[in-house]
Amino acid sequence: MKRLIFACILTLVSVLPAAAQEVTDTVLDNGMDVVVIEDHRAPVVVHMVWYRAGGADEPAGKSGIAHFLEHLLFKGTDDMEPGEVHRVVAENGGSNNAFTSYDQTAYFERIAADRLELMMTMEADRMRDLILTEEDIKTERDVILEERATRTDNSPGALLNEQMQAALFMNHPYGTPLIGWRHEMETLNREDAMAFYRKYYAPNNAVLVVAGDVDPDEVIALAKKHYGPLEPTEGLEPRARPLEPVPLAPRRMTLTDDRVGQPYVIRNYIAPSRATGAQEEAAAIVYLSELLGGSSATSILGRALEFDQKLAVSTFTGYSAEALDLTTFTMGVVPAQGVTLEEAEAAMDAEIARMFEEGIDPEQFERIKTRIRANDVYARDSARGLANRYGRALTTGLTLEDVKAWPDVLQAVTPEDVLAVAEKVLQPTHSVTGYLVAPSLAPSLTPGGEEEVGQ
């Protein structure tokens, strides 16, 4: 019966029609990239402006300035009052937001297609004409400090992740928390924000992605009208970050916190991204993540530790393929009652060793390949998802051809590819292992061994 169901799913996915989306691209005279993705199934458009500037581009000692500026961009310009962008989008029946990552900052609106020009008018205005007062700085600095308190300082898991990231990336700015170190956030001022803004918020550092019920020629004409007159930043240098040294030893740490209700073990490895290695290598790591921890019922760690041995409440893996530089591969175990973190970690390592010894189950591999294909087909139903796919790729060193090829690259992965990339990535010297525990359960540490971070 299971094989019959799988065969039916495979047949269904193989005949699913992928929505036809034509992609048109051009570069304006001032250096701004414009990408148009046609999708005429609904009279809606997603308008996104992506800047090639994120947390990893911040000056030393100014951590958090990229995210801080994202907040400040909703203040006023020479033509708009503070908060006007939110108000106008809402009054026109749309939605909008923004986000900051290590490699980019993006601003987006989803709205009726006939309101596209209005969105371009506002985004073009705040690309070069932002006005900030000292009161704006004080108010939003308090907001981001409260955000850090809520999302990081009040979360033992987030604090452990922050410490592990800093230990994993010893020289690269990916080791600095995206929201910023609190002591540096507290000193961010108007001059810091405006310097980052003037340098990076420029047409020659931006990608405009418009997806939805639009005509490419009309979109490009509107882009030339509203974004074309904006002055580029002269002398904008290539994005060159400090290189990460070859790690020589595994790193370990234990974070103890009275607020921990459920201890767990987590391990991060440095891994190549789609941009730093061949896309084929990144695609194989996508499969590795799915094989080890994609589904509790079918993954290697889930079946062995949760169901067969009953050592874990849950198991997990994670991999983000999109990054300008290196990225991370993560795995972890939340142990069952009475199981120590040392036992959980040993069981996790034993299953990894078993995978190398016994190879990959062909049926499991085909199920994952089918699921990846289905996810790609369904993802094309979302205009915002498409805009995200292209914008994130183009701001992390990939090309339109890379984006178009990615689904086929994923489908070409073999079990041998996965084992080869696993051997490359899952090296102890390239890892940081973290224990999150309550003080009463903290393991004893040997001299020169684990690093303990108390909270």
Side-chain angles (χ1 to χ4, degrees):
M1 178 61 70
K2 289 181 179 178
R3 291 186 178 182
L4 176 61
I5 294 173
F6 174 66
C8 291
I9 293 173
L10 180 60
T11 302
L12 175 62
V13 171
S14 66
V15 299
L16 280 172
Q21 285 114 7
E22 294 295 327
V23 179
T24 304
D25 67 292
T26 191
V27 180
L28 303 185
D29 291 342
N30 58 11
M32 186 174 189
D33 293 315
V34 179
V35 177
V36 185
I37 308 165
E38 292 182 75
D39 185 349
H40 300 289
R41 289 172 295 172
V44 175
V45 66
V46 173
H47 173 270
M48 299 192 76
V49 175
W50 297 74
Y51 294 98
R52 295 182 179 92
D57 300 295
E58 297 167 337
K62 304 297 180 181
S63 64
I65 191 65
H67 174 247
F68 187 29
L69 183 57
E70 176 212 313
H71 280 245
L72 293 170
L73 217 71
F74 290 92
K75 300 301 181 181
T77 70
D78 54 351
D79 295 323
M80 292 190 294
E81 295 295 324
E84 187 169 341
V85 171
H86 283 314
R87 177 181 61 78
V88 171
V89 171
E91 288 175 351
N92 282 272
S95 60
N96 72 308
N97 214 325
F99 59 84
T100 305
S101 73
Y102 280 107
D103 296 315
Q104 64 272 119
T105 308
Y107 302 82
F108 61 90
E109 298 86 24
R110 184 180 186 274
I111 203 160
D114 61 359
R115 303 295 197 276
L116 175 60
E117 184 169 11
L118 179 59
M119 300 302 103
M120 285 198 187
T121 302
M122 293 190 297
E123 285 294 356
D125 184 36
R126 63 178 179 169
M127 181 178 287
R128 278 315 216 182
D129 292 333
L130 181 66
I131 295 176
L132 297 177
T133 66
E134 290 299 336
E135 184 59 29
D136 292 334
I137 297 297
K138 181 180 183 302
T139 300
E140 290 304 318
R141 189 170 55 217
D142 289 343
V143 170
I144 62 170
L145 286 168
E146 178 59 28
E147 188 174 334
R148 180 184 164 90
T150 302
R151 297 184 180 182
T152 303
D153 299 334
N154 290 339
S155 169
L159 288 171
L160 176 62
N161 288 340
E162 184 176 83
Q163 295 294 318
M164 290 180 66
Q165 189 82 354
L168 187 66
F169 290 100
M170 297 180 288
N171 194 49
H172 194 282
Y174 286 166
T176 300
L178 186 57
I179 197 167
W181 298 113
R182 173 171 285 276
H183 67 284
E184 292 183 350
M185 295 168 67
E186 291 171 340
T187 67
L188 296 177
N189 56 43
R190 183 179 179 278
E191 289 70 28
D192 298 329
M194 292 304 298
F196 197 83
Y197 173 74
R198 292 190 184 103
K199 180 177 182 178
Y200 292 115
Y201 280 54
N204 57 325
N205 198 47
V207 180
L208 170 65
V209 182
V210 177
D213 188 21
V214 293
D215 175 85
D217 292 338
E218 293 177 2
V219 173
I220 292 171
L222 288 173
K224 289 179 178 178
K225 174 182 176 182
H226 294 284
Y227 293 106
L230 302 179
E231 290 295 323
T233 294
E234 297 296 334
L236 190 62
E237 65 274 9
R239 302 171 81 183
R241 278 86 172 265
L243 296 178
E244 190 66 18
V246 176
L248 301 178
R251 283 139 288 168
R252 304 180 63 84
M253 62 177 63
T254 297
L255 191 148
T256 61
D257 194 303
D258 290 326
R259 298 168 294 181
V260 175
Q262 177 63 70
Y264 60 81
V265 54
I266 183 171
R267 184 180 298 152
N268 292 341
Y269 295 87
I270 289 181
S273 68
R274 287 170 64 187
T276 57
Q279 285 208 112
E280 291 78 8
E281 192 172 52
I285 303 175
V286 172
Y287 278 80
L288 177 63
S289 181
E290 288 293 319
L291 282 163
L292 286 175
S295 165
S296 294
T298 60
S299 68
I300 292 173
L301 294 178
R303 285 185 303 178
L305 274 59
E306 296 178 47
F307 292 94
D308 296 342
Q309 302 173 41
K310 302 189 185 306
L311 295 174
V313 174
S314 66
T315 57
F316 55 90
T317 57
Y319 171 66
S320 177
E322 286 81 17
L324 184 64
D325 299 311
L326 296 168
T327 185
T328 57
F329 180 86
T330 299
M331 65 176 68
V333 178
V334 180
Q337 185 71 29
V339 178
T340 68
L341 293 180
E342 293 91 340
E343 291 169 337
E345 183 184 3
M348 179 177 72
D349 287 336
E351 292 308 314
I352 295 171
R354 190 192 307 275
M355 178 187 70
F356 283 116
E357 292 171 5
E358 300 180 358
I360 294 170
D361 180 356
E363 289 190 3
Q364 183 189 14
F365 187 82
E366 288 304 317
R367 284 195 297 269
I368 290 172
K369 179 169 285 191
T370 301
R371 185 163 66 245
I372 288 173
R373 165 64 178 158
N375 289 341
D376 175 68
V377 171
Y378 295 135
R380 301 183 195 188
D381 284 338
S382 167
R384 183 182 165 190
L386 287 169
N388 263 301
R389 177 182 295 188
Y390 281 88
R392 196 173 297 278
L394 293 175
T395 51
T396 53
L398 298 172
T399 66
L400 290 177
E401 289 69 29
D402 292 330
V403 179
K404 295 173 184 177
W406 181 238
D408 291 334
V409 171
L410 285 167
Q411 290 302 299
V413 174
T414 67
E416 292 73 23
D417 296 331
V418 177
L419 289 174
V421 81
E423 188 173 359
K424 176 180 179 179
V425 171
L426 303 182
Q427 297 187 40
T429 55
H430 294 182
S431 72
V432 175
T433 302
Y435 283 10
L436 181 67
V437 294
S440 60
L441 298 176
S444 35
L445 307 177
T446 57
E450 298 177 22
E451 171 188 354
E452 181 173 10
V453 182
Q455 174 63 28

